[in-house]
Amino acid sequence: MSAVQTRTRPVPRVAAGRILLGAFALASAVDLVSLLAGWHPGHLIAKPLLMPLLVGHVLTLRAPRLLVAALLFGWGGDLALLFDAKPAFLVGMGSFAVGHVCYLALFGRGRTSPALGGAYAVALAGTVALLWPDLPADLRIPVAGYSLLLASMAYRSSALGAVAGAGGALFLLSDTLIATGVAEWPQLPRPDFWIMATYLAAQYLLALGALRREQAYRREVIQD
């Protein structure tokens, strides 16, 4: 009887979290290798799995709802960008934008460096000014508005510490690479690989930073 009970006992939360994180790492590797190899079917299979696996992992760690929402809206953007059409691009950008709003709400009012904010403001203004003439006319305003929201999220992510701050910066870099492609600027070899590599690192680091802040808060509550 005890052997049967052991076999049917639910997988512990920590073990499930590790399994899901390992699955996320494996799916990420499959996606990135597929992009490097130019094997599009591998990308189509792996990309839709990425954010759900990361969401499953953070849920086992009792992640805040805003983090889960931000990752799920990122998943919506991922799915939309699988389709090579302007309406899909706008839908994807809108889904990511809602995710950034969730992140901004998650970051709260923690302290950030004014100097860092100034650096992001200069980077934002310079990038939009340079891209503007080369963007399709009907995408200029949406891209500029999205860029402002994205830069705000990247800046405010540092409120959760250096790990989340690095994630915010990588998210900005990833989407800037997308924008340069839309503007038809010269690209690095295998640009989709670099876009996805920086994006996956960004989402993971943002999630890690948020989870660390949440765990620290719980410890403080328990001690009090």
Side-chain angles (χ1 to χ4, degrees), residues 160-176:
L160 299 189
V163 170
L170 285 171
F171 214 134
L172 180 62
L173 174 59
S174 180
D175 280 6
T176 299

mmCIF file with all atom_site columns, all heavy atoms in Angstrom, residues 160-176:
data_model
loop_
_atom_site.group_PDB
_atom_site.id
_atom_site.type_symbol
_atom_site.label_atom_id
_atom_site.label_alt_id
_atom_site.label_comp_id
_atom_site.label_asym_id
_atom_site.label_entity_id
_atom_site.label_seq_id
_atom_site.pdbx_PDB_ins_code
_atom_site.Cartn_x
_atom_site.Cartn_y
_atom_site.Cartn_z
_atom_site.occupancy
_atom_site.B_iso_or_equiv
_atom_site.pdbx_formal_charge
_atom_site.auth_seq_id
_atom_site.auth_comp_id
_atom_site.auth_asym_id
_atom_site.auth_atom_id
_atom_site.pdbx_PDB_model_num
ATOM 1   N N   . LEU A 1 160 ? 13.454 46.520 -9.131  1.00 0.00 ? 160 LEU A N   1
ATOM 2   C CA  . LEU A 1 160 ? 13.499 45.191 -8.520  1.00 0.00 ? 160 LEU A CA  1
ATOM 3   C C   . LEU A 1 160 ? 14.917 44.684 -8.351  1.00 0.00 ? 160 LEU A C   1
ATOM 4   O O   . LEU A 1 160 ? 15.106 43.555 -7.885  1.00 0.00 ? 160 LEU A O   1
ATOM 5   C CB  . LEU A 1 160 ? 12.699 44.186 -9.360  1.00 0.00 ? 160 LEU A CB  1
ATOM 6   C CG  . LEU A 1 160 ? 11.217 44.449 -9.552  1.00 0.00 ? 160 LEU A CG  1
ATOM 7   C CD1 . LEU A 1 160 ? 10.551 43.253 -10.220 1.00 0.00 ? 160 LEU A CD1 1
ATOM 8   C CD2 . LEU A 1 160 ? 10.534 44.775 -8.242  1.00 0.00 ? 160 LEU A CD2 1
ATOM 9   N N   . GLY A 1 161 ? 15.907 45.470 -8.742  1.00 0.00 ? 161 GLY A N   1
ATOM 10  C CA  . GLY A 1 161 ? 17.290 45.040 -8.603  1.00 0.00 ? 161 GLY A CA  1
ATOM 11  C C   . GLY A 1 161 ? 17.985 44.861 -9.937  1.00 0.00 ? 161 GLY A C   1
ATOM 12  O O   . GLY A 1 161 ? 17.393 45.020 -11.006 1.00 0.00 ? 161 GLY A O   1
ATOM 13  N N   . ALA A 1 162 ? 19.263 44.484 -9.860  1.00 0.00 ? 162 ALA A N   1
ATOM 14  C CA  . ALA A 1 162 ? 20.099 44.405 -11.056 1.00 0.00 ? 162 ALA A CA  1
ATOM 15  C C   . ALA A 1 162 ? 19.648 43.309 -12.015 1.00 0.00 ? 162 ALA A C   1
ATOM 16  O O   . ALA A 1 162 ? 19.740 43.467 -13.244 1.00 0.00 ? 162 ALA A O   1
ATOM 17  C CB  . ALA A 1 162 ? 21.554 44.176 -10.655 1.00 0.00 ? 162 ALA A CB  1
ATOM 18  N N   . VAL A 1 163 ? 19.160 42.199 -11.483 1.00 0.00 ? 163 VAL A N   1
ATOM 19  C CA  . VAL A 1 163 ? 18.749 41.079 -12.349 1.00 0.00 ? 163 VAL A CA  1
ATOM 20  C C   . VAL A 1 163 ? 17.567 41.496 -13.222 1.00 0.00 ? 163 VAL A C   1
ATOM 21  O O   . VAL A 1 163 ? 17.593 41.336 -14.449 1.00 0.00 ? 163 VAL A O   1
ATOM 22  C CB  . VAL A 1 163 ? 18.393 39.842 -11.503 1.00 0.00 ? 163 VAL A CB  1
ATOM 23  C CG1 . VAL A 1 163 ? 17.732 38.767 -12.373 1.00 0.00 ? 163 VAL A CG1 1
ATOM 24  C CG2 . VAL A 1 163 ? 19.648 39.277 -10.849 1.00 0.00 ? 163 VAL A CG2 1
ATOM 25  N N   . ALA A 1 164 ? 16.530 42.031 -12.598 1.00 0.00 ? 164 ALA A N   1
ATOM 26  C CA  . ALA A 1 164 ? 15.376 42.489 -13.371 1.00 0.00 ? 164 ALA A CA  1
ATOM 27  C C   . ALA A 1 164 ? 15.768 43.654 -14.275 1.00 0.00 ? 164 ALA A C   1
ATOM 28  O O   . ALA A 1 164 ? 15.277 43.769 -15.408 1.00 0.00 ? 164 ALA A O   1
ATOM 29  C CB  . ALA A 1 164 ? 14.247 42.907 -12.441 1.00 0.00 ? 164 ALA A CB  1
ATOM 30  N N   . GLY A 1 165 ? 16.659 44.532 -13.793 1.00 0.00 ? 165 GLY A N   1
ATOM 31  C CA  . GLY A 1 165 ? 17.110 45.644 -14.613 1.00 0.00 ? 165 GLY A CA  1
ATOM 32  C C   . GLY A 1 165 ? 17.797 45.172 -15.879 1.00 0.00 ? 165 GLY A C   1
ATOM 33  O O   . GLY A 1 165 ? 17.596 45.754 -16.961 1.00 0.00 ? 165 GLY A O   1
ATOM 34  N N   . ALA A 1 166 ? 18.607 44.120 -15.766 1.00 0.00 ? 166 ALA A N   1
ATOM 35  C CA  . ALA A 1 166 ? 19.242 43.546 -16.956 1.00 0.00 ? 166 ALA A CA  1
ATOM 36  C C   . ALA A 1 166 ? 18.193 42.966 -17.906 1.00 0.00 ? 166 ALA A C   1
ATOM 37  O O   . ALA A 1 166 ? 18.305 43.086 -19.125 1.00 0.00 ? 166 ALA A O   1
ATOM 38  C CB  . ALA A 1 166 ? 20.241 42.471 -16.536 1.00 0.00 ? 166 ALA A CB  1
ATOM 39  N N   . GLY A 1 167 ? 17.154 42.354 -17.333 1.00 0.00 ? 167 GLY A N   1
ATOM 40  C CA  . GLY A 1 167 ? 16.078 41.823 -18.163 1.00 0.00 ? 167 GLY A CA  1
ATOM 41  C C   . GLY A 1 167 ? 15.365 42.912 -18.936 1.00 0.00 ? 167 GLY A C   1
ATOM 42  O O   . GLY A 1 167 ? 15.075 42.763 -20.128 1.00 0.00 ? 167 GLY A O   1
ATOM 43  N N   . GLY A 1 168 ? 15.086 44.033 -18.264 1.00 0.00 ? 168 GLY A N   1
ATOM 44  C CA  . GLY A 1 168 ? 14.449 45.146 -18.948 1.00 0.00 ? 168 GLY A CA  1
ATOM 45  C C   . GLY A 1 168 ? 15.298 45.680 -20.080 1.00 0.00 ? 168 GLY A C   1
ATOM 46  O O   . GLY A 1 168 ? 14.797 45.991 -21.175 1.00 0.00 ? 168 GLY A O   1
ATOM 47  N N   . ALA A 1 169 ? 16.604 45.801 -19.847 1.00 0.00 ? 169 ALA A N   1
ATOM 48  C CA  . ALA A 1 169 ? 17.511 46.305 -20.877 1.00 0.00 ? 169 ALA A CA  1
ATOM 49  C C   . ALA A 1 169 ? 17.555 45.358 -22.072 1.00 0.00 ? 169 ALA A C   1
ATOM 50  O O   . ALA A 1 169 ? 17.563 45.801 -23.231 1.00 0.00 ? 169 ALA A O   1
ATOM 51  C CB  . ALA A 1 169 ? 18.906 46.492 -20.295 1.00 0.00 ? 169 ALA A CB  1
ATOM 52  N N   . LEU A 1 170 ? 17.579 44.058 -21.810 1.00 0.00 ? 170 LEU A N   1
ATOM 53  C CA  . LEU A 1 170 ? 17.610 43.087 -22.908 1.00 0.00 ? 170 LEU A CA  1
ATOM 54  C C   . LEU A 1 170 ? 16.304 43.087 -23.699 1.00 0.00 ? 170 LEU A C   1
ATOM 55  O O   . LEU A 1 170 ? 16.311 42.883 -24.921 1.00 0.00 ? 170 LEU A O   1
ATOM 56  C CB  . LEU A 1 170 ? 17.898 41.686 -22.356 1.00 0.00 ? 170 LEU A CB  1
ATOM 57  C CG  . LEU A 1 170 ? 19.343 41.436 -21.934 1.00 0.00 ? 170 LEU A CG  1
ATOM 58  C CD1 . LEU A 1 170 ? 19.462 40.097 -21.206 1.00 0.00 ? 170 LEU A CD1 1
ATOM 59  C CD2 . LEU A 1 170 ? 20.266 41.456 -23.147 1.00 0.00 ? 170 LEU A CD2 1
ATOM 60  N N   . PHE A 1 171 ? 15.178 43.323 -23.016 1.00 0.00 ? 171 PHE A N   1
ATOM 61  C CA  . PHE A 1 171 ? 13.899 43.412 -23.722 1.00 0.00 ? 171 PHE A CA  1
ATOM 62  C C   . PHE A 1 171 ? 13.935 44.602 -24.689 1.00 0.00 ? 171 PHE A C   1
ATOM 63  O O   . PHE A 1 171 ? 13.489 44.517 -25.843 1.00 0.00 ? 171 PHE A O   1
ATOM 64  C CB  . PHE A 1 171 ? 12.755 43.593 -22.734 1.00 0.00 ? 171 PHE A CB  1
ATOM 65  C CG  . PHE A 1 171 ? 11.471 42.926 -23.144 1.00 0.00 ? 171 PHE A CG  1
ATOM 66  C CD1 . PHE A 1 171 ? 10.745 42.162 -22.239 1.00 0.00 ? 171 PHE A CD1 1
ATOM 67  C CD2 . PHE A 1 171 ? 10.968 43.075 -24.432 1.00 0.00 ? 171 PHE A CD2 1
ATOM 68  C CE1 . PHE A 1 171 ? 9.552  41.543 -22.611 1.00 0.00 ? 171 PHE A CE1 1
ATOM 69  C CE2 . PHE A 1 171 ? 9.783  42.459 -24.810 1.00 0.00 ? 171 PHE A CE2 1
ATOM 70  C CZ  . PHE A 1 171 ? 9.078  41.694 -23.901 1.00 0.00 ? 171 PHE A CZ  1
ATOM 71  N N   . LEU A 1 172 ? 14.478 45.721 -24.214 1.00 0.00 ? 172 LEU A N   1
ATOM 72  C CA  . LEU A 1 172 ? 14.600 46.900 -25.070 1.00 0.00 ? 172 LEU A CA  1
ATOM 73  C C   . LEU A 1 172 ? 15.496 46.600 -26.267 1.00 0.00 ? 172 LEU A C   1
ATOM 74  O O   . LEU A 1 172 ? 15.178 46.981 -27.404 1.00 0.00 ? 172 LEU A O   1
ATOM 75  C CB  . LEU A 1 172 ? 15.169 48.063 -24.261 1.00 0.00 ? 172 LEU A CB  1
ATOM 76  C CG  . LEU A 1 172 ? 15.368 49.386 -25.003 1.00 0.00 ? 172 LEU A CG  1
ATOM 77  C CD1 . LEU A 1 172 ? 14.048 49.939 -25.505 1.00 0.00 ? 172 LEU A CD1 1
ATOM 78  C CD2 . LEU A 1 172 ? 16.061 50.405 -24.100 1.00 0.00 ? 172 LEU A CD2 1
ATOM 79  N N   . LEU A 1 173 ? 16.604 45.911 -26.034 1.00 0.00 ? 173 LEU A N   1
ATOM 80  C CA  . LEU A 1 173 ? 17.514 45.563 -27.125 1.00 0.00 ? 173 LEU A CA  1
ATOM 81  C C   . LEU A 1 173 ? 16.831 44.649 -28.134 1.00 0.00 ? 173 LEU A C   1
ATOM 82  O O   . LEU A 1 173 ? 16.932 44.853 -29.351 1.00 0.00 ? 173 LEU A O   1
ATOM 83  C CB  . LEU A 1 173 ? 18.759 44.886 -26.555 1.00 0.00 ? 173 LEU A CB  1
ATOM 84  C CG  . LEU A 1 173 ? 19.753 44.322 -27.581 1.00 0.00 ? 173 LEU A CG  1
ATOM 85  C CD1 . LEU A 1 173 ? 20.258 45.419 -28.503 1.00 0.00 ? 173 LEU A CD1 1
ATOM 86  C CD2 . LEU A 1 173 ? 20.914 43.629 -26.874 1.00 0.00 ? 173 LEU A CD2 1
ATOM 87  N N   . SER A 1 174 ? 16.114 43.641 -27.641 1.00 0.00 ? 174 SER A N   1
ATOM 88  C CA  . SER A 1 174 ? 15.441 42.691 -28.527 1.00 0.00 ? 174 SER A CA  1
ATOM 89  C C   . SER A 1 174 ? 14.445 43.393 -29.451 1.00 0.00 ? 174 SER A C   1
ATOM 90  O O   . SER A 1 174 ? 14.438 43.176 -30.668 1.00 0.00 ? 174 SER A O   1
ATOM 91  C CB  . SER A 1 174 ? 14.724 41.625 -27.684 1.00 0.00 ? 174 SER A CB  1
ATOM 92  O OG  . SER A 1 174 ? 14.060 40.696 -28.516 1.00 0.00 ? 174 SER A OG  1
ATOM 93  N N   . ASP A 1 175 ? 13.614 44.251 -28.866 1.00 0.00 ? 175 ASP A N   1
ATOM 94  C CA  . ASP A 1 175 ? 12.602 44.924 -29.681 1.00 0.00 ? 175 ASP A CA  1
ATOM 95  C C   . ASP A 1 175 ? 13.214 45.990 -30.581 1.00 0.00 ? 175 ASP A C   1
ATOM 96  O O   . ASP A 1 175 ? 12.667 46.293 -31.655 1.00 0.00 ? 175 ASP A O   1
ATOM 97  C CB  . ASP A 1 175 ? 11.532 45.531 -28.779 1.00 0.00 ? 175 ASP A CB  1
ATOM 98  C CG  . ASP A 1 175 ? 10.521 44.487 -28.309 1.00 0.00 ? 175 ASP A CG  1
ATOM 99  O OD1 . ASP A 1 175 ? 10.732 43.296 -28.607 1.00 0.00 ? 175 ASP A OD1 1
ATOM 100 O OD2 . ASP A 1 175 ? 9.534  44.845 -27.658 1.00 0.00 ? 175 ASP A OD2 1
ATOM 101 N N   . THR A 1 176 ? 14.342 46.547 -30.180 1.00 0.00 ? 176 THR A N   1
ATOM 102 C CA  . THR A 1 176 ? 15.045 47.482 -31.071 1.00 0.00 ? 176 THR A CA  1
ATOM 103 C C   . THR A 1 176 ? 15.560 46.750 -32.303 1.00 0.00 ? 176 THR A C   1
ATOM 104 O O   . THR A 1 176 ? 15.517 47.285 -33.425 1.00 0.00 ? 176 THR A O   1
ATOM 105 C CB  . THR A 1 176 ? 16.209 48.162 -30.322 1.00 0.00 ? 176 THR A CB  1
ATOM 106 O OG1 . THR A 1 176 ? 15.696 48.892 -29.209 1.00 0.00 ? 176 THR A OG1 1
ATOM 107 C CG2 . THR A 1 176 ? 16.955 49.127 -31.240 1.00 0.00 ? 176 THR A CG2 1
#
